[in-house]
C-alpha cells in the first residue's frame, strides 16, 4: 500500500488487489572446483514466485479466467496463446520485484463456506528466460524498482514489534 492506495500485484495484465502473501525464491548453481574441497556459485538457476491472494467482488470469476488463460489450462487456450508465449513470458510486477519471462506452473483455487463471495488463489510461477535480451531487460527493471524504492518512505521502519503484531505479545 502506497500513500493510502492499494497498488495491485500484476501478473501479466491481471491485477490482484488483495494479495495476502508473496514470496520470491532464487536458486543458484554450485560447482565444485576440481581437485579442491571448495565450491563456487556460478549462475542463477531458478526464480520462482508464489502469490497467495483473495479474489473478491463481482469480477472474481473474470480474474480467475484471466489467470487460467495465462496458465494455458486448456488445449484451446494453449493453441491460441502459444505464438505469443514463445516471444515473451508473463511479466510479474509487484513491490518486491519486476520479473519478466515467468510462466504459471500451478494454480490452486479454493472457495469455502465462510467466504462464499470470495475465491482464495495460490499461484506459483517459474522464470523461463526466452532470450538473453529479455533477461537483461528484466534485471534492469528490477534494479530500477530497487533504486526507486529508496525514494519512497517506509511506513514500518521504526514501528515496534508489539504494535506490528497488534499488541498481542
Amino acid at each position: 500500500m502506497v500513500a493510502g492506495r492499494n497498488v495491485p500485484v500484476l501478473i501479466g495484465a491481471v491485477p490482484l488487489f488483495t494479495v495476502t502473501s508473496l514470496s520470491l525464491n532464487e536458486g543458484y548453481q554450485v560447482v565444485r572446483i576440481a581437485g579442491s574441497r571448495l565450491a563456487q556459485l556460478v549462475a542463477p538457476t531458478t526464480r520462482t514466485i508464489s502469490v497467495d491472494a483473495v479474489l473478491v467482488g463481482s469480477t472474481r470469476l473474470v480474474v480467475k479466467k484471466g489467470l487460467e488463460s495465462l496458465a494455458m489450462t486448456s488445449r484451446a487456450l494453449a493453441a491460441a496463446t502459444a505464438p505469443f508465449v514463445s516471444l515473451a513470458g508473463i511479466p510479474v510486477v509487484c513491490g518486491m520485484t519486476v520479473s519478466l519471462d515467468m510462466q504459471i506452473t500451478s494454480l490452486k483455487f479454493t472457495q469455502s463456506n465462510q467466504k462464499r463471495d470470495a475465491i482464495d488463489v495460490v499461484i506459483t510461477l517459474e522464470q523461463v528466460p526466452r532470450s538473453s535480451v529479455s533477461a537483461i531487460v528484466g534485471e534492469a527493471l528490477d534494479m530500477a524498482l530497487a533504486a526507486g524504492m529508496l525514494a519512497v518512505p517506509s511506513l514500518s521502519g521504526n514501528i515496534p514489534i508489539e504494535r506490528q503484531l497488534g499488541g498481542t505479545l
Side-chain angles (χ1 to χ4, degrees):
M1 193 131 110
V2 175
R5 291 189 0 226
N6 187 8
V7 178
V9 169
L10 291 175
I11 298 181
V14 178
L16 299 175
F17 288 98
T18 313
V19 173
T20 57
S21 172
L22 186 137
S23 63
L24 173 66
N25 185 13
E26 296 177 338
Y28 300 92
Q29 182 179 5
V30 177
V31 175
R32 297 267 177 214
I33 298 173
S36 173
R37 292 186 306 170
L38 300 175
Q40 181 176 356
L41 296 173
V42 293
T45 55
T46 60
R47 175 182 280 181
T48 58
I49 297 175
S50 179
V51 180
D52 294 4
V54 182
L55 310 180
V56 294
S58 60
T59 62
R60 67 186 177 278
L61 293 177
V62 173
V63 172
K64 178 182 174 286
K65 284 299 173 192
L67 291 170
E68 288 174 339
S69 67
L70 286 173
M72 301 185 297
T73 56
S74 73
R75 291 184 192 273
L77 288 172
T81 59
F84 304 108
V85 172
S86 66
L87 299 174
I90 301 166
V92 176
V93 180
C94 62
M96 187 187 320
T97 186
V98 174
S99 296
L100 304 180
D101 291 336
M102 301 298 288
Q103 183 62 51
I104 294 174
T105 57
S106 172
L107 280 175
K108 179 183 177 185
F109 297 103
T110 306
Q111 191 170 30
S112 66
N113 252 357
Q114 293 78 20
K115 296 190 282 185
R116 290 184 186 213
D117 292 336
I119 300 170
D120 294 324
V121 61
V122 178
I123 308 159
T124 305
L125 301 105
E126 185 171 328
Q127 190 171 32
V128 185
R130 304 305 197 265
S131 71
S132 58
V133 172
S134 67
I136 291 168
V137 169
E139 286 301 315
L141 289 171
D142 201 29
M143 299 228 355
L145 173 70
M149 291 306 285
L150 289 173
V152 177
S154 176
L155 298 176
S156 63
N158 296 321
I159 297 175
I161 291 175
E162 297 83 29
R163 185 166 168 202
Q164 287 181 350
L165 297 177
T168 59
L169 293 179

